[in-house]
Amino acid sequence: MTGEEPPVGRVRSRVGRWRDQAAALGWLVLIWNLLWGDFSWGNLLGGLLAGMAVLVFFPLPPVTFAGRVRPRALLALAGRFVAELVVASVHVAAVAVRPGFVPRSAVIGVPLRVRTDLNLALTAELVSLVPGTLILEVDREAAILYLHVLDVRGPQGLADNRQRVLDIERRIVRAIGSADELRRVHSDPVEKENTS
Amino acid sequence: MVTVVADWLGALFLVAGALLALAAGIGVLRFPDVLDRMHAATKPQSLGVLLVLTGVALRLRSPSDLGMVALVAIFQLATAPVAAQMIGRAAYRSGRVDRDLLVVDELADR
């Protein structure tokens, strides 16, 4: 997946790896303390031990994060996500309780423009959380998400759903993507069909 | 005064979340095939659970409870899509899809 990126210096990548591990350990310690319900030195120590054990015994593949976090775009991402969540939840609930209505569905494949694992996972996660769309299959090599969409009406409905997934991707890239990824997301649709 | 408002808001959130859960239950019963049912079974949960948790947080208001509520929300949001995808994929691969209900199936061409 990282083949298209230039090789990073060994020293820098090792530093980056250590930084990632430290961040992961920090989160694990925080979660441990939240689970116990209070922050104390004992919990801090226990969290450190448990966190290190988790990192040593269950190592995860390294996630390449080339971008940077943009707080305002992140806020926009969160805001739009909540709005979509509310609208879509009401929609699915309405479909569920409407008497005598059998919804028509569709399975569509949406090729993403940014092919990193992180982008693929985040987009899949957010798309999946919004009601009405369900991820069926993820083609990691080609970066295509196959999703099942509930209650589609005509070609326009299909196009809308495709665009919705791409919009979510664009908002994610805006929030945490690199400059190069941003360019790819903002390029016009025709060009993106050819390159993918 | 603030506690009264928080209590009422909490109650409101709890009822709204419960209503979404009810709609989800009805959807699971009424939707025609597995994939449609997965929408009802996993998704109103994401907002429904968030609403219920917000309601609970507004009623409890102690820091340690808030931490636990935040953890429940995070784990719920992180794991629900994974479970939904695994079930959806298994259902599709084992052919438990009513193709008459599908407008298009782009996964079939692959």
Side-chain angles (χ1 to χ4, degrees):
Chain A
M1 294 305 291
T2 57
E4 53 195 275
E5 284 162 17
V8 192
R10 191 159 293 169
V11 179
R12 243 186 79 195
S13 75
R14 199 187 295 156
V15 169
R17 187 105 180 91
W18 273 107
R19 199 193 52 198
D20 291 350
Q21 296 276 36
L25 187 60
W27 278 112
L28 288 170
V29 171
L30 179 68
I31 287 173
W32 181 268
N33 280 278
L34 286 176
L35 279 175
W36 280 100
D38 67 324
F39 292 87
S40 67
W41 288 110
N43 282 343
L44 209 61
L45 193 69
L48 276 174
L49 287 176
M52 280 194 265
V54 167
L55 288 178
V56 168
F57 291 117
F58 305 99
L60 289 169
V63 174
T64 49
F65 179 68
R68 60 198 182 85
V69 178
R70 301 178 189 82
R72 195 188 286 180
L74 200 62
L75 215 64
L77 172 70
R80 282 299 295 268
F81 173 69
V82 171
E84 264 185 22
L85 197 61
V86 172
V87 170
S89 295
V90 171
H91 176 218
V92 170
V95 169
V97 296
R98 198 180 308 166
F101 177 70
V102 178
R104 304 271 293 168
S105 309
V107 176
I108 57 174
V110 183
L112 298 185
R113 290 159 293 190
V114 175
R115 296 184 173 202
T116 58
D117 279 355
L118 184 65
N119 179 57
L120 203 58
L122 284 178
T123 310
E125 179 95 355
L126 288 192
V127 166
S128 207
L129 277 173
V130 173
T133 42
L134 179 73
I135 304 280
L136 281 187
E137 196 79 57
V138 179
D139 187 337
R140 190 178 160 197
E141 295 302 316
I144 301 177
L145 293 179
Y146 289 97
L147 30 116
H148 183 262
V149 190
L150 184 77
D151 190 23
V152 207
R153 289 182 200 141
Q156 189 55 43
L158 286 177
D160 287 349
N161 277 296
R162 259 181 243 282
Q163 195 52 48
R164 222 178 68 195
V165 175
L166 291 176
D167 285 347
I168 290 176
E169 186 201 17
R170 195 183 61 228
R171 269 178 242 129
I172 290 173
V173 170
R174 270 189 192 157
I176 60 161
S178 66
D180 179 44
E181 290 169 352
L182 258 178
R183 246 193 320 280
R184 214 172 307 169
V185 167
H186 283 291
S187 62
D188 66 323
V190 184
E191 194 180 306
K192 141 191 117 205
E193 286 288 322
N194 294 336
T195 49
S196 61
Chain B
M1 184 58 204
V2 177
T3 56
V4 174
V5 172
D7 276 349
W8 274 100
L9 266 180
L12 210 69
F13 277 118
L14 282 172
V15 171
L19 280 178
L20 273 178
L22 175 68
I26 295 172
V28 171
L29 282 176
R30 283 199 50 217
F31 283 159
D33 75 346
V34 184
L35 293 177
D36 288 336
R37 284 181 179 175
M38 286 307 295
H39 287 287
T42 56
K43 301 316 159 51
Q45 254 190 26
S46 38
L47 184 61
V49 166
L50 285 183
L51 284 173
V52 168
L53 287 175
T54 313
V56 168
L58 283 170
R59 299 272 308 192
L60 290 175
R61 297 190 286 262
S62 77
S64 65
D65 291 328
L66 291 184
M68 197 65 80
V69 165
L71 271 188
V72 172
I74 290 170
F75 281 126
Q76 185 70 33
L77 291 184
T79 54
V82 180
Q85 195 238 328
M86 290 326 275
I87 297 176
R89 187 164 82 158
Y92 188 90
R93 287 192 174 178
S94 57
R96 287 170 198 278
V97 183
D98 191 344
R99 289 188 192 284
D100 297 336
L101 291 171
L102 290 180
V103 181
V104 282
D105 186 356
E106 291 176 359
L107 191 50
D109 319 330
R110 204 165 65 113

